[in-house]
Amino acid sequence: MEYKNYYEVLGVSKDASQEEIRKAYKNLAKKYHPDMNNNSAASEIKFKEISEAYEVLKDPEKRRKYDELQNAAKFQHGSEFDPRDFGFEYQTRGSRNGASSFGSDEFSDFFNMFFGGRGGGSDDIFAGFGGGNRSYRGASGTASGASSSNADIEAEMEIDLLEAYRGGEKQVRINTESGEKTLKIKIPKGVTDGNKIKLKGQGRIDPFTGKKGDLYIKLSIKNNRDITLEGLDLYKNLKITPWEAALGSKISVTTLAENVNVKVPGGIESGKKLKLKGKGYQNGNGQRGDLYLTVTIVNPPNLSEKEKELYQKLQEVSDFKPNR
């Protein structure tokens, strides 16, 4: 089997950032797209090679697995190697015992060996899951009565911070071998970024056992417009008036789950932080972080005549001069 150095294909270093990888792919894909090269066979081959490299390196999990292989193998791009040396029995796109291969026709045998077919490219986050199954199995075979890990699939789904905190049900669409279907997913209360939800029997069909694997949904939490989550701590801006800042006050603040009363000390300045212990995000284990409020002093946009008069009087009597 021919080894693929995906970093070399995209012309980036091994420690390239995701943005550098994305830009490299975008430039090369535009340069070698068949439509831009009179549909030449050479440009089509190059374009597929570039697309295959990007398919792996854009995905943090695929990239991690690929880096592990590269560190262990230390092959040159295009060199031949035997997958059995790495614990795999495999088939090419030919046939196995008269049956057609389940590998992706779009990408190389190398890709199908280690990544099991191409992912989807549509806006549906589960598109492509019904695509080609892996064209390999572990050397130890598949345990009787158990679904092979080769048939398990994983996707990432973004949810709102409030959805994560409260939990609930969400409907998603997936593409399967038998067509598109809608599933209800129960999001546990207090999930955190990176938590996975397992949907048993919703994976691919294992070509060797006929059993279905599982679908793992990795959750990515999108911060609320007003509140940001870091670990279990919540961060929120607290807007107060000049007189509340000068004199001090008690203010009711809305968090994810409740209204809390905040004591603002007199003389506070913009940018100062107030900490409310134990009022942050609560995970599924009952652990709860803190709430941090960043003070912003906001002036009224339109002053009444009475307000202007009071401000003028304050200006006359006050001898405070800030450092400028």
Side-chain angles (χ1 to χ4, degrees), residues 109-228:
D109 289 334
F110 176 83
F111 179 93
N112 289 321
M113 167 63 69
F114 294 102
F115 301 105
R118 186 176 184 178
S122 83
D123 291 336
D124 180 355
I125 62 169
F126 296 102
F129 282 174
N133 286 293
R134 298 175 188 261
S135 56
Y136 69 88
R137 61 184 175 89
S140 60
T142 303
S144 175
S147 178
S148 168
S149 61
N150 296 347
D152 291 342
I153 52 180
E154 181 178 311
E156 187 170 308
M157 181 174 71
E158 189 176 69
I159 60 173
D160 183 78
L161 177 56
L162 192 57
E163 285 181 306
Y165 188 81
R166 292 178 175 174
E169 284 191 348
K170 197 175 184 72
Q171 286 191 341
V172 295
R173 291 178 295 112
I174 67 170
N175 288 337
T176 69
E177 287 95 336
S178 57
E180 184 180 273
K181 65 179 179 179
T182 301
L183 297 175
K184 279 187 178 180
I185 297 176
K186 185 176 181 180
I187 301 173
K189 182 179 179 180
V191 294
T192 53
D193 205 56
N195 280 172
K196 293 180 182 179
I197 297 174
K198 177 182 176 181
L199 298 181
K200 192 172 179 60
Q202 298 297 337
R204 295 188 180 101
I205 296 175
D206 190 301
F208 301 105
T209 67
K211 296 181 181 296
K212 297 203 74 173
D214 302 322
L215 167 61
Y216 292 87
I217 300 175
K218 185 177 181 181
L219 298 175
S220 174
I221 299 177
K222 178 177 64 176
N223 283 320
N224 192 284
R225 183 184 64 182
D226 300 317
I227 305 178
T228 300

Side-chain angles (χ1 to χ4, degrees), residues 32-74:
Y32 290 103
H33 196 285
D35 290 347
M36 305 293 289
N37 294 273
N38 297 319
N39 293 312
S40 74
S43 67
E44 185 175 351
I45 292 172
K46 186 67 176 177
F47 182 76
K48 285 184 177 181
E49 187 177 44
I50 294 163
S51 299
E52 178 178 320
Y54 185 60
E55 181 70 23
V56 173
L57 298 185
K58 74 175 182 179
D59 185 304
E61 182 62 20
K62 284 193 180 81
R63 185 178 179 181
R64 181 188 65 78
K65 292 178 181 178
Y66 175 71
D67 286 345
E68 288 177 356
L69 171 67
Q70 193 179 54
N71 291 335
K74 300 187 184 303

